[in-house]
């Protein structure tokens, strides 16, 4: 005859809980370095002359708070490392005004980071910020000085980005093209055969 069988609740031994906690901790430690990864950024900020004149711009746009910024030139990469030169050239050929074209390296801070980079390029001044959560984020607070008696144009934008993709941020007066490339982790140097000398010894001749 068939008889029902009562199953007791399954219990997990205490050592197993400790193992699971250790695995979770190691997983968090493995994620840590990726969140602190460095990126190379390249950005072009350009103006479209004659556009946006029909917009209702404020008479007093205010000014970005440049007192809290760092000099982006301190982390700038050499001009030879730029990849977007052909795009900047094409923009100029089409009558656009390229105010800034810069490449730099940084490790983005968390979403609540207060690290702003100062932009000072003639008629274009202000600040930008790169942060990282699940995605990279670009924030801008820029002021484009107007011609003559024009009060200027305040450009505050926020754009979510993925690395290794070209992003275009649109605005009636300004356009921003930006690309983020994750920096590959450095591989450990080959172990020296002679630590005191700092370089491997040459192989002994044979024969």
């Amino acid at each position: 005859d068939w008889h029902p069988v009562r199953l007791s609740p399954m219990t997990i031994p205490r050592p197993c809980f400790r193992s699971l906690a250790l695995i979770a901790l190691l997983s968090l430690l493995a994620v840590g370095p990726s969140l602190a990864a460095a990126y190379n950024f390249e950005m072009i900020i350009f103006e479209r002359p004659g556009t946006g004149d029909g917009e209702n711009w404020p008479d007093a746009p205010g000014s970005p708070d440049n007192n809290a910024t760092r000099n982006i030139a301190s982390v700038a990469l050499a001009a030879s490392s730029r990849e977007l030169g052909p795009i900047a050239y094409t923009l100029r050929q089409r009558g656009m005004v390229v105010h800034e074209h810069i490449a730099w390296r940084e490790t983005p801070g968390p979403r609540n980071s207060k690290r702003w980079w100062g932009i000072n390029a003639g008629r274009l001044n202000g600040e930008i910020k790169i942060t990282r959560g699940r995605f990279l984020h670009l924030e801008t607070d820029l002021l484009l000085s107007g011609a003559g008696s024009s009060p200027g144009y305040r450009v505050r934008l926020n754009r979510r980005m993925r690395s290794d993709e070209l992003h275009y941020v649109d605005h009636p007066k300004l356009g921003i093209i930006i690309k983020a490339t994750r920096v590959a982790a450095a591989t450990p140097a080959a172990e020296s055969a002679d630590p005191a000398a700092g370089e491997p010894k040459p192989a002994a001749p044979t024969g």
Side-chain angles (χ1 to χ4, degrees), residues 33-177:
S34 63
L35 293 178
Y39 291 80
N40 287 343
F41 295 93
E42 186 172 357
M43 180 178 63
I44 298 172
I45 306 177
F46 64 95
E47 176 189 357
R48 304 185 189 87
T51 63
D53 295 337
E55 302 285 338
N56 292 321
W57 302 102
D59 294 332
S63 300
D65 181 15
N66 287 331
N67 295 325
T69 60
R70 303 182 183 187
N71 187 357
I72 198 170
S74 63
V75 290
L77 300 174
S80 59
S81 67
R82 299 176 188 170
E83 301 177 356
L84 305 183
I87 294 178
Y89 174 81
T90 301
L91 290 171
R92 292 188 179 99
Q93 291 295 106
R94 295 183 177 180
M96 309 299 173
V97 179
V98 176
H99 288 285
E100 183 66 282
H101 181 193
I102 190 169
W104 75 97
R105 176 175 297 181
E106 73 165 299
T107 300
R111 292 290 291 125
N112 61 351
S113 172
K114 303 299 183 183
R115 184 175 63 197
W116 291 85
W117 297 108
I119 299 293
N120 297 285
R123 291 176 49 224
L124 181 69
N125 294 277
E127 54 192 6
I128 66 166
K129 180 172 70 170
I130 302 286
T131 57
R132 183 179 178 186
R134 184 179 177 186
F135 298 93
L136 294 169
H137 293 260
L138 166 70
E139 295 179 54
T140 75
D141 189 359
L142 302 168
L143 181 65
L144 177 65
S145 299
S149 60
S150 173
Y153 308 93
R154 188 87 173 266
V155 182
R156 285 179 280 195
L157 302 170
N158 192 323
R159 175 63 181 264
R160 188 176 71 179
M161 303 185 297
R162 293 179 182 272
S163 60
D164 300 315
E165 294 181 3
L166 195 63
H167 295 271
Y168 173 59
V169 187
D170 196 16
H171 181 269
K173 292 299 294 185
L174 290 178
I176 300 176
I177 297 174

Side-chain angles (χ1 to χ4, degrees), residues 6-28:
R6 178 176 296 176
L7 299 177
S8 59
M10 183 179 67
T11 59
I12 302 177
R14 186 176 298 273
C16 185
F17 276 118
R18 292 175 181 173
S19 298
L20 292 174
L22 179 60
I23 292 172
L25 176 60
L26 292 175
S27 299
L28 290 175

